[in-house]
Amino acid sequence: MKPSSCRDRLEQALTRIADPEGEGARACLTVYAGTARAAADAADARAKHGVSLGPLDGAIVSIKDLFDVAGEPTRAGSKVLADEAAPAAADAVIVRRLRAGGAVIVAKTNMTEFALGAIGANPHFGTPANPRDRARVPGGSSAGAGVTVGDGMCEIAIGSDTGGSVRIPAALCGIVGFKPSRQRIPTAGAFPLSTTLDSIGPLARSVSDCARADAVMAGEDFVRLEPVTVAGLRFGITQGFPLDNLDETVGPAFDAAIGRLEQAGARLTREPMPLFDEMRAVNAYGGIVQPEACAIHKDRMARRAVDIDPNIRMRIERGCAVSAADYIGMLYAREALVRAMNRQLATLDALIMPTSGIVAPTIAEVANPEIFASRNAMLLRNTSVGNFFDLCGVSLPLPAPLPVGLMLMGRNGQDRALLRIAAAVEEMLAAERG
């Protein structure tokens, strides 16, 4: 069967966005129908003449609401910024690279306000419902990104990941999400949360699509992922808190994945992780993200705190209570722990753990602020390890009644090797599903 044209695929995406019975109105805050149609027609014209701008030429892409688009205010999911932000003077670097590579940008996607949270709820623009169960949250902070991929409103979504904001919605929505090594993709033109930990990554239905988007955003030449076999790969199963209190869906799905890896010939070791305890001791001083968020939002908090999501406002206020000495101390301590983790991972191909210890909470249960806080912490618990230790990581969907993610993490700079491994595990899991 002849593949459909880019314009045909775009029209299908736009139809899904506009469907009044769907989640388009909550998942997409801006829809670029006119410019997307022009870009799709240009991609089809290039294809007709055998010309390609790269691996994303003609791909239908959504971008998170924190990326600058020239001439528009960048809202970052915030009512305050929607009111006050000046139009961006230029596209964010990654938006320029996507356009130059022929990507068809269809929409800007909803997100947790200021990207500060893992639930995916937004009281200002609405909470997009999970593609697999409309009673549940999508995960955040790249909430609309996960929903647009899961519901077929785009083929690839671009999000940000400071504590898990790409991998969490990928896990909760049953798709793939990739967090690159932080330094590989420029954050210029992306509204910041934590200048120390912010990274930018893709969500898609396959590792291959994530790899294509990652290469374009990193400004690298894309080479197809070379085949690798699972047999002989060295996986370290993290011990300690990442395996504590797994819910009744996540625990069995993770155990089944471990069993399948063993059957496929992977070399599995149980890895004690005292560095995780040291990370928690450092974060006990208040964590790095929240004081950096306070520095960014202190003026807004003084003027318009009442207009900020209370769940977000509370976390920023906690960051403002961290002393300068404690903040600087955390940065110094983290540097030493990053080096120590890099040494520990030298003999492994990847660490493995559940992306999240729980499945997506229901929208109703997180309406309670106390439950919201506990679920938010549980969703962030495992993924935040990758940001603290400056690793790259990918979440793969596991077979389960509700979406569950399997997270692979590799050393900083080993992104391509990790993507190759992830593609092999993805293929193994697909064969299991039949």
Side-chain angles (χ1 to χ4, degrees), residues 131-341:
R132 291 276 294 273
D133 183 345
R134 298 302 190 196
R136 297 178 184 274
V137 301
S141 65
S142 306
V147 175
T148 53
V149 173
D151 277 348
M153 301 179 206
C154 67
E155 295 162 345
I156 300 170
I158 309 303
S160 64
D161 191 311
T162 304
S165 290
V166 162
R167 291 161 291 157
I168 293 166
L172 270 54
C173 293
I175 57 177
V176 179
F178 178 61
K179 176 217 169 298
S181 298
R182 181 190 52 80
Q183 74 280 359
R184 286 186 55 252
I185 296 178
T187 57
F191 192 89
L193 170 58
S194 165
T195 52
T196 300
L197 302 179
D198 288 345
S199 58
I200 295 170
L203 303 88
R205 290 191 172 275
S206 69
V207 173
S208 175
D209 280 350
C210 284
R212 292 191 295 135
D214 173 74
V216 169
M217 291 191 294
E220 298 175 354
D221 292 334
F222 174 72
V223 179
R224 290 188 182 278
L225 298 176
E226 301 91 346
V228 60
T229 58
V230 171
L233 290 175
R234 301 162 300 173
F235 291 112
I237 306 170
T238 55
Q239 304 299 288
F241 69 75
L243 300 185
D244 290 345
N245 302 315
L246 302 181
D247 75 18
E248 64 275 10
T249 301
V250 173
F254 181 69
D255 290 343
I258 295 300
R260 184 68 187 87
L261 287 167
E262 288 179 324
Q263 292 172 6
R267 296 161 56 190
L268 300 175
T269 56
R270 269 64 182 173
E271 293 291 322
M273 300 300 291
L275 290 174
F276 288 178
D277 297 325
E278 295 186 52
M279 177 193 80
R280 283 191 155 179
V282 171
N283 283 337
Y285 288 92
I288 292 169
V289 172
Q290 292 174 168
E292 292 190 343
C294 173
I296 293 162
H297 298 292
K298 192 171 184 180
D299 174 66
R300 268 176 222 104
M301 290 284 287
R303 292 184 296 104
R304 295 190 60 178
V306 70
D307 294 322
I308 296 171
D309 178 350
N311 292 306
I312 306 305
R313 184 173 68 232
M314 177 180 63
R315 297 186 70 196
I316 297 173
E317 287 170 345
R318 289 176 181 166
C320 292
V322 176
S323 72
D326 284 345
Y327 168 67
I328 294 169
M330 286 188 289
L331 292 180
Y332 285 149
R334 174 179 176 264
E335 287 180 7
L337 293 179
V338 166
R339 292 193 295 271
M341 179 62 80

Side-chain angles (χ1 to χ4, degrees), residues 132 167 170-177 204-207 253 257 355 394-400 402-407 422 425-430 432-433:
R132 291 276 294 273
R167 291 161 291 157
L172 270 54
C173 293
I175 57 177
V176 179
R205 290 191 172 275
S206 69
V207 173
T355 308
V394 61
S395 179
L396 302 174
L398 291 178
L402 286 168
V404 172
L406 174 69
M407 184 162 60
V425 176
E426 176 185 53
E427 184 177 359
M428 179 198 77
L429 293 170
E432 180 182 2
R433 287 192 291 268

Side-chain angles (χ1 to χ4, degrees), residues 15-29:
T15 297
R16 292 189 177 101
I17 292 171
D19 182 358
E21 301 298 317
E23 292 299 308
R26 284 176 288 273
C28 301
L29 300 187

